[in-house]
Amino acid sequence: MQKLKFIISGGGTGGHIYPAIAIADELQVQFPDCEILFVGAKDKMEMKKVPQAGYKIKGLWISGLQRKLTLSNLLFPVKLIFSMVKSYFILKSFKPNVVIGTGGFASGAVVKTASWIGLPTLIQEQNSYPGITNKWLSKSVDIICVAYENLDAFFPQNKIKFTGNPVRQDLLSLTHKRIDALAYFALDATQKTVLVLGGSLGSKKINELIAEKLDFFINQKFQIIWQTGSLYFEQYSHFNQKGNVKVVSFIDRMDYVYAAADVIISRSGASSVSELCIVGKPVLFIPSPNVAEDHQTQNAKAIVNKNGALLVKESELENKFDKVFLDLMANPNEQTRLGTNIHAMARPEATKDIVKQIVQLISKK
């Protein structure tokens, strides 16, 4: 059988990059001799994270649209055309069997070009409200894998496959990793560990909250793993000297950080929600209100409405956070209930189901 080749593109944030890497990992499991090439945006985090995961990547000169008039926005049409031309030569040289996109403007350029030259294409949409790139691509691709129902308002219904979001397979079994995880972060096994996740770039509001509440956490004998995001690490790194607080920019061993956690405070981006369902720990969501159609709140409510998590809006933090958090930490039964209920919503086979769709595209070629 001819060696299979795949191009995968997704980036800008961890929410696009890690689903792409999860799909690549599963393709390698099913086709050990396959060849995988990533295409990303130059100077974005995928150019670092994808090689760290063991894959080759080529960069395009492209960036996202800003909400205000900027030079970058004026250059966007030029960048898009330039990136599509470069994508054409990458595709012709590499000759992939299937081209896969997981969101981000680089994926728009390469997947659109692939569809124009007749290559099989698949996109994966993580959110309840699709991003601009995947909406643009939806009419030209062959298959659209989604994690939320009722997306036929945005995508052609005959192309939609409900698979769930791809997640890292090392999250599927965490219990036996707890001792090693606590040692990895130099944490005390006799204290409760609070994990704070603000997304790959970080959350200004959550970081401000945690900085303000550190004495509160320490006085309650909680230890903290605080992921600030790359934009804020320098501002908050000095708190590493304070009590049992571990401040990190980015977390490479997500399996360990989830294994060590007793309770999780998190944004509710789609990929994070999917991972947290797999992990099955009690979660307090603080959705970002600054995203299209407020989809992080919708993502969180989908879990909260089934008694799988707690939610505090940013606007309610000052009045509600202390009570909601302390009530949760004081109630082991509630922690167990939330962990059990969120785990029941997990789709651990999502990555395999997406690869099944990719295989079907190959067979139809």
Side-chain angles (χ1 to χ4, degrees):
M1 181 179 175
Q2 181 185 6
K3 181 166 73 170
L4 296 174
K5 293 184 175 183
F6 303 98
I7 281 182
I8 304 177
S9 183
T13 69
H16 295 314
I17 297 166
Y18 287 108
I21 291 173
I23 292 169
D25 289 345
E26 183 60 29
L27 285 168
Q28 283 210 313
V29 169
Q30 296 198 28
F31 307 103
D33 63 342
C34 74
E35 194 172 343
I36 296 172
L37 175 66
F38 277 74
V39 178
K42 284 182 178 178
D43 302 322
K44 295 296 184 180
M45 63 187 295
E46 59 264 30
M47 301 306 293
K48 178 180 178 183
K49 298 302 175 185
V50 167
Q52 284 178 350
Y55 297 103
K56 296 177 182 177
I57 186 167
K58 294 194 173 185
L60 302 178
W61 181 52
I62 195 160
S63 57
L65 290 166
Q66 307 299 313
R67 294 187 179 183
K68 55 187 177 181
L69 185 63
T70 64
L71 177 61
S72 179
N73 279 357
L74 294 174
L75 283 172
F76 180 78
V78 176
K79 288 183 177 182
L80 180 60
I81 293 168
F82 187 90
S83 294
M84 293 181 77
V85 170
K86 184 171 181 180
S87 294
Y88 174 82
F89 287 106
I90 291 172
L91 292 163
K92 282 295 187 181
S93 172
F94 190 74
K95 297 181 174 62
N97 296 89
V98 181
V99 178
I100 302 139
T102 60
F105 285 92
S107 77
V110 70
V111 175
K112 179 65 81 171
T113 306
S115 66
W116 280 351
I117 63 176
L119 291 170
T121 52
L122 176 148
I123 57 175
Q124 194 271 325
E125 174 56 54
Q126 298 93 38
N127 287 293
S128 55
Y129 185 85
I132 186 172
T133 299
N134 280 349
K135 283 192 283 188
W136 180 55
L137 293 172
S138 63
K139 290 183 180 178
S140 56
V141 299
D142 297 301
I143 291 176
I144 305 168
C145 293
V146 302
Y148 289 87
E149 296 173 342
N150 304 316
L151 288 187
D152 52 338
F154 307 101
F155 299 144
Q157 189 171 20
N158 63 320
K159 297 182 180 183
I160 294 175
K161 306 295 180 182
F162 183 67
T163 57
N165 279 325
V167 296
R168 291 169 267 227
Q169 298 302 290
D170 60 0
L171 303 183
L172 297 180
S173 180
L174 296 177
T175 305
H176 72 282
K177 296 182 179 181
R178 182 170 174 82
I179 294 173
D180 289 342
L182 290 169
Y184 182 83
F185 290 104
L187 294 170
D188 185 344
T190 67
Q191 291 188 345
K192 291 284 188 181
T193 302
V194 179
L195 169 62
V196 180
L197 300 172
S200 54
L201 298 177
S203 160
K204 181 176 186 290
K205 193 73 174 181
I206 290 180
N207 285 332
E208 290 173 350
L209 172 75
I210 300 305
E212 179 189 333
K213 300 293 183 184
L214 272 187
D215 286 336
F216 165 79
F217 289 128
I218 292 168
N219 291 339
Q220 298 293 329
K221 304 297 184 187
F222 301 138
Q223 52 196 358
I224 313 292
I225 304 175
W226 176 8
Q227 181 254 325
T228 61
S230 56
L231 296 179
Y232 301 98
F233 177 70
E234 196 170 314
Q235 182 179 351
Y236 294 102
S237 60
H238 66 280
F239 284 116
N240 266 316
Q241 313 301 320
K242 187 170 180 130
N244 215 354
V245 179
K246 312 295 177 184
V247 183
V248 295
S249 168
F250 202 85
I251 301 166
D252 292 315
R253 287 299 305 261
M254 289 303 297
D255 57 334
Y256 273 8
V257 82
Y258 284 133
D262 293 291
V263 173
I264 300 166
I265 298 170
S266 179
R267 284 300 201 199
S268 47
S271 294
S272 295
V273 172
S274 297
E275 286 190 355
L276 292 167
C277 288
I278 295 286
V279 169
K281 300 281 180 83
V283 179
L284 170 58
F285 285 122
I286 304 174
S288 170
N290 306 313
V291 291
E293 300 297 310
D294 198 20
H295 68 247
Q296 283 208 8
T297 299
Q298 302 309 312
N299 294 346
K301 282 183 174 178
I303 306 298
V304 173
N305 290 343
K306 294 182 180 179
N307 300 310
L310 302 176
L311 186 157
V312 178
K313 294 181 179 179
E314 279 194 0
S315 59
E316 301 171 333
L317 285 172
E318 188 173 342
N319 295 326
K320 285 190 174 182
F321 178 81
D322 288 13
K323 184 178 189 311
V324 171
F325 182 79
L326 284 179
D327 285 351
L328 174 61
M329 297 304 287
N331 191 338
N333 290 336
E334 176 73 349
Q335 294 173 33
T336 300
R337 183 180 74 88
L338 292 175
T340 300
N341 290 345
I342 194 172
H343 189 61
M345 289 176 261
R347 295 185 67 89
E349 299 299 312
T351 317
K352 288 184 172 65
D353 290 342
I354 292 166
V355 170
K356 284 179 186 176
Q357 297 298 328
I358 294 169
V359 172
Q360 288 186 18
L361 277 179
I362 297 169
S363 66
K364 290 178 183 176
K365 187 176 178 182

